[in-house]
Amino acid sequence: MSSTVGKVIRCKAAVAWEAAKPLSIEEVEVAPPQANEVRLRILFTSLCHTDVYFWEAKGQTPLFPRIFGHEAGGIVESVGPGVTDLQPGDHVLPVFTGECGDCRHCKSEESNMCDLLRINTDRGVMLNDGKSRFSINGKPIYHFVGGSTFSEYTVCHIGSVAKINPAAPLDKVCILSCGISTGLGAALNVAKPKKGHTVAVFGLGAVGLAAAEGARLSGASRIIGVDLNPSRFNEAKKFGVTEFVNPKDHDKPVQQVIIEMTDGGVDRSIECTGNVRAMISAFECVHDGWGVAVLVGVPGKDDEFKTHPMNLLNERTLKGTFFGNYKPRTDLPGVVEKYMNKVKANMHVGGSAAM
């Protein structure tokens, strides 16, 4: 890899030239990293629904041409001036948000909303000089949320890259850089169910399954999965879901169904769909006095959350979370170790890891 240090790299990338038009595999030029940047060789990347959402140009000022992708694993190819925490060959996860380490949010134990590097879907250039590191025949190709992992090589700000255990399989842990950590952290760090609690999880996609796993790890006695797709129910059992509710099977609001199932409501609920009606249901199904609802899904730009103020006055708590309240550089290596330790434990007993 040393032969490419300081040089432009030509590689393949999936480029979105226009909104909602098929991606085109192109040869792109990837410039060397500048100050506080690293250039990564992306070995594995996955597709997150957020990539699709912004490829369709919903809810944002369209910015094209662009290289999407942000949920990935790779190896550091080279580092720019001022980078001391990483070196070529390190195994890393790029993250759509970041941790500068200096702002009030980064210094707070309660927040991961970095002032400098929090997600910005409208920015398509690097912070250092306001320019893109991608180009085709001199024409800039824009970045996406600091990642652009649908490229064999990409350049990221150092604060948005987490160094991980090199023994971790990148084809597995790459999904920890977005959805899985978001759902897991929503449970472990924000909802914080106690042993014996009842938890409802709205949406049983990857994020919801991770939230269910977090509830299971916390010792929840009942985990109620809520989804419109019954084919997801069997898979969800592997992640601790004990009961299932399909709103289409009932002629009353799903929050009322859950309240009746649980003698007044669940102790915790975690919403992982982005549908504002599901968000309202997740809040209104928690028990008065102590119930906590956590919103994870990203709503549409014009959505409005409406509920009667008495639902709050009756001592229900509504929270939101961003990347499961994990600080990317500080906390993500530990999430990888959770996975690694579980794999090791299951190897000893001949099982397989759910997370």
Side-chain angles (χ1 to χ4, degrees):
M1 285 190 285
S2 60
S3 63
T4 58
V5 172
K7 300 177 182 178
V8 171
I9 290 179
R10 290 176 175 84
C11 68
K12 298 294 185 182
V15 178
W17 291 101
E18 299 178 64
K21 295 294 177 65
L23 305 184
S24 176
I25 303 300
E26 307 277 1
E27 183 178 86
V28 300
E29 295 184 341
V30 185
Q34 301 302 307
N36 297 315
E37 297 173 2
V38 293
R39 187 162 59 185
L40 310 179
R41 181 187 174 203
I42 299 299
L43 298 182
F44 298 95
T45 187
S46 56
L47 177 66
C48 174
H49 187 263
T50 302
D51 294 310
V52 177
Y53 185 80
F54 286 96
W55 166 70
E56 293 174 333
K58 294 180 178 179
Q60 115 251 27
T61 304
L63 184 62
F64 294 93
R66 201 169 205 179
I67 297 174
F68 287 98
H70 63 281
E71 196 171 63
I75 297 176
V76 175
E77 175 270 337
S78 60
V79 303
V83 175
T84 58
D85 295 344
L86 291 173
Q87 60 185 9
D90 284 343
H91 287 220
V92 296
L93 300 181
V95 186
F96 64 92
T97 182
E99 182 184 352
C100 72
D102 296 323
C103 69
R104 289 188 301 169
H105 287 278
C106 287
K107 291 180 178 179
S108 168
E109 294 182 357
E110 299 181 20
S111 175
N112 67 341
M113 301 286 287
C114 177
D115 280 332
L116 180 67
L117 297 169
R118 71 174 65 182
I119 187 171
N120 184 331
T121 58
D122 292 332
R123 186 174 63 233
V125 295
M126 301 301 291
L127 288 170
N128 182 277
D129 57 5
K131 296 179 180 179
S132 174
R133 301 290 175 261
F134 298 109
S135 62
I136 297 179
N137 297 324
K139 178 181 176 61
I141 309 296
Y142 294 110
H143 296 251
F144 178 63
V145 296
S148 292
T149 61
F150 292 171
S151 174
E152 292 176 315
Y153 287 85
T154 190
V155 177
C156 302
H157 191 284
I158 181 63
S160 296
V161 178
K163 180 180 177 180
I164 65 167
N165 184 344
L170 288 172
D171 61 328
K172 303 291 194 304
V173 300
C174 65
I175 59 173
L176 297 180
S177 68
C178 182
I180 300 302
S181 294
T182 296
L184 185 71
L188 296 178
N189 301 333
V190 187
K192 298 180 180 178
K194 299 177 181 178
K195 187 174 182 179
H197 268 180
T198 298
V199 178
V201 177
F202 286 71
L204 297 176
V207 177
L209 293 178
E213 173 77 353
R216 185 191 68 79
L217 291 172
S218 298
S221 61
R222 296 174 67 186
I223 302 174
I224 302 169
V226 183
D227 203 292
L228 297 172
N229 184 353
S231 68
R232 291 178 165 179
F233 293 164
N234 281 334
E235 186 69 20
K237 293 177 183 177
K238 300 176 184 177
F239 294 83
V241 175
T242 58
E243 301 161 67
F244 306 97
V245 175
N246 186 339
K248 292 190 294 187
D249 292 341
H250 303 273
D251 56 5
K252 63 181 71 173
V254 69
Q255 54 265 51
Q256 187 60 40
V257 173
I258 294 172
I259 287 170
E260 293 174 2
M261 289 173 60
T262 56
D263 190 25
V266 294
D267 302 295
R268 302 288 188 266
S269 72
I270 306 169
E271 183 283 324
C272 304
T273 72
N275 181 293
V276 71
R277 288 178 295 178
M279 294 179 179
I280 294 169
S281 297
F283 174 57
E284 294 183 350
C285 80
V286 300
H287 205 291
D288 59 4
W290 61 80
V292 177
V294 177
L295 306 186
V296 178
V298 179
K301 63 177 180 178
D302 297 322
D303 285 340
E304 294 183 350
F305 184 99
K306 296 180 180 180
T307 191
H308 197 282
M310 285 303 299
N311 289 322
L312 288 161
L313 292 173
N314 285 336
E315 300 184 2
R316 296 177 180 88
T317 299
L318 179 65
K319 292 184 174 184
T321 184
F322 180 74
F323 194 51
N325 203 232
Y326 286 121
K327 294 180 186 289
R329 297 167 71 189
T330 299
D331 298 330
L332 198 50
V335 178
V336 171
E337 291 307 310
K338 282 181 182 290
Y339 169 78
M340 294 295 287
N341 290 336
K342 189 168 187 178
V343 169
K344 292 174 184 175
N346 282 321
M347 286 177 64
H348 290 153
V349 296
S352 60
M355 190 181 108

